[in-house]
Amino acid sequence: MKKIGRNDPCWCGSGKKYKQCHMAFDEKKKLFKLHGEEVPTRDMIKNEAEIAAIKASAVINTAVLDEVASKIHAGMSTQDIDDIVYRFTKSKGAIPAPLNYEGFPKSVCTSVNNEICHGIPSKDVILKEGDIVNVDVSTIYKGYYSDASRMFCIGEVSPEAKRLVDVTKECMELGIAAIKPWGHLGDIGAAIQKHAHENGYSVVVEFVGHGVGLEFHEEPMVPHYGEAGIGVLLAPGMIFTVEPMINQGSAELYVDSKNHWTSYTRDGKLSAQWENMILVTEDGIEILSK
């Protein structure tokens, strides 16, 4: 790789001179690397213009989830949720990112009760009192991606279901609280796993959080389990999701053999998921979509 001069354009594409942009950042990275740390690659770092554009996408993404929250109720189908997501997203000049992504046929993922993730909306799946459902929304706006999900309790749910939903949200929040500029990726998963296990739940390991912004799924992958103090350093300019999937029973799962998307708990017990989209800043973090 050709060495960049102080007065050359920065590698990040900001248009600024290197010395005014990422030179100090690279010097800090070099020191960490000399001490044996795993440092983020340049393609994990967004510049100011990219961050602003991704934030605009994220505002719409959160608004879509707010729209679903205002309308979701017992008696509606998961296809009704898909219709809400599609119409609202398009009304904002945006595109639902899941639609036709690697063959996914709908605009949103709706995962009910023992469905872990990637549930496909259907007019035949009717939400009923006592159900819990994850609605996972992803948006493309002017070519930039955003991603978040929420759990919804339909009417009165059992204390066991409510506790799973609440603890799963706590797991996500603790994972996010563990994110520090120049901290480690492993800190996130360690915090999530600890809280889940302390509450008698298991953590799904097959699905992880991910970088997002310029593409739907980017590096780094963000496990929701693991060991604190290890993994790639979390540097300012990184954007990724934290989206733990927590099971009431075993972590074992299977994927629908017909649609090849929807995953279920192997033991038929409940699963819950919450997802926020995070920007690492110089002095902390910013939640972009939730």
Side-chain angles (χ1 to χ4, degrees):
M1 185 181 297
K2 182 182 177 183
K3 185 176 181 180
I4 303 176
R6 291 169 54 84
N7 293 310
D8 289 339
C10 186
W11 52 260
C12 75
S14 66
K16 296 180 181 179
K17 291 181 179 179
Y18 181 48
K19 65 183 179 183
Q20 298 168 336
C21 198
H22 276 96
M23 190 172 81
F25 175 93
D26 283 348
E27 289 170 351
K28 181 177 280 193
K29 264 180 54 174
K30 189 181 296 182
L31 283 174
F32 278 119
K33 194 170 184 178
L34 285 171
H35 285 87
E37 297 282 7
E38 182 183 352
V39 298
T41 56
R42 287 178 175 176
D43 59 2
M44 294 184 194
I45 309 300
K46 275 67 176 179
N47 65 36
E48 290 178 3
E50 290 168 340
I51 290 170
I54 293 165
K55 284 183 176 182
S57 176
V59 167
I60 295 171
N61 200 72
T62 298
V64 177
L65 279 164
D66 288 343
E67 181 73 3
V68 171
S70 72
K71 291 181 166 54
I72 195 167
H73 63 272
M76 74 188 306
S77 71
T78 53
Q79 179 59 50
D80 292 332
I81 297 173
D82 189 79
D83 293 341
I84 292 167
V85 170
Y86 180 81
R87 286 196 297 263
F88 189 87
T89 304
K90 296 293 283 186
S91 76
K92 299 299 181 182
I95 300 167
L99 187 60
N100 300 318
Y101 174 76
E102 295 187 355
F104 191 82
K106 299 292 182 175
S107 297
V108 65
C109 297
T110 52
S111 304
V112 183
N113 293 333
N114 66 321
E115 294 176 340
I116 295 172
C117 62
H118 304 153
I120 299 176
S122 169
K123 60 182 177 57
D124 297 324
V125 178
I126 308 299
L127 298 179
K128 62 184 185 301
E129 184 96 0
D131 283 343
I132 61 172
V133 55
N134 177 267
V135 179
D136 191 347
V137 170
S138 309
T139 301
I140 310 169
Y141 181 62
K142 296 184 178 179
Y144 293 89
Y145 291 75
S146 50
D147 192 9
S149 81
R150 297 180 195 170
M151 290 299 299
F152 296 96
C153 294
I154 307 303
E156 290 293 324
V157 303
S158 70
E160 295 80 11
K162 181 67 164 59
R163 180 171 178 269
L164 175 66
V165 169
D166 290 345
V167 171
T168 302
K169 189 175 186 182
E170 291 166 5
C171 284
M172 179 194 67
E173 291 169 343
L174 287 166
I176 292 170
I179 301 169
K180 303 290 188 295
W182 304 106
H184 293 86
L185 183 69
D187 299 343
I188 301 170
I192 290 169
Q193 185 177 46
K194 181 175 185 291
H195 193 63
H197 287 180
E198 285 175 348
N199 282 276
Y201 298 136
S202 61
V203 180
V204 173
V205 301
E206 285 86 350
F207 300 106
V208 298
H210 54 89
V212 62
L214 306 185
E215 302 289 344
F216 199 168
H217 299 97
E218 305 171 1
E219 293 293 332
M221 297 296 108
V222 183
H224 304 114
Y225 58 92
E227 182 180 344
I230 65 170
V232 69
L233 293 177
L234 304 174
M238 294 175 73
I239 296 177
F240 51 83
T241 66
V242 177
E243 49 179 301
M245 297 162 220
I246 307 300
N247 289 357
Q248 194 177 45
S250 166
E252 292 185 13
L253 59 82
Y254 68 94
V255 176
D256 191 299
S257 60
K258 293 181 180 178
N259 69 38
H260 306 293
W261 278 102
T262 309
S263 67
Y264 298 83
T265 58
R266 176 69 66 179
D267 56 17
K269 294 185 178 181
L270 298 176
S271 184
Q273 178 192 15
W274 289 84
E275 177 183 11
N276 283 187
M277 178 180 172
I278 310 300
L279 165 67
V280 182
T281 67
E282 291 289 343
D283 55 4
I285 65 152
E286 186 176 345
I287 298 175
L288 301 187
S289 186
K290 62 181 180 178

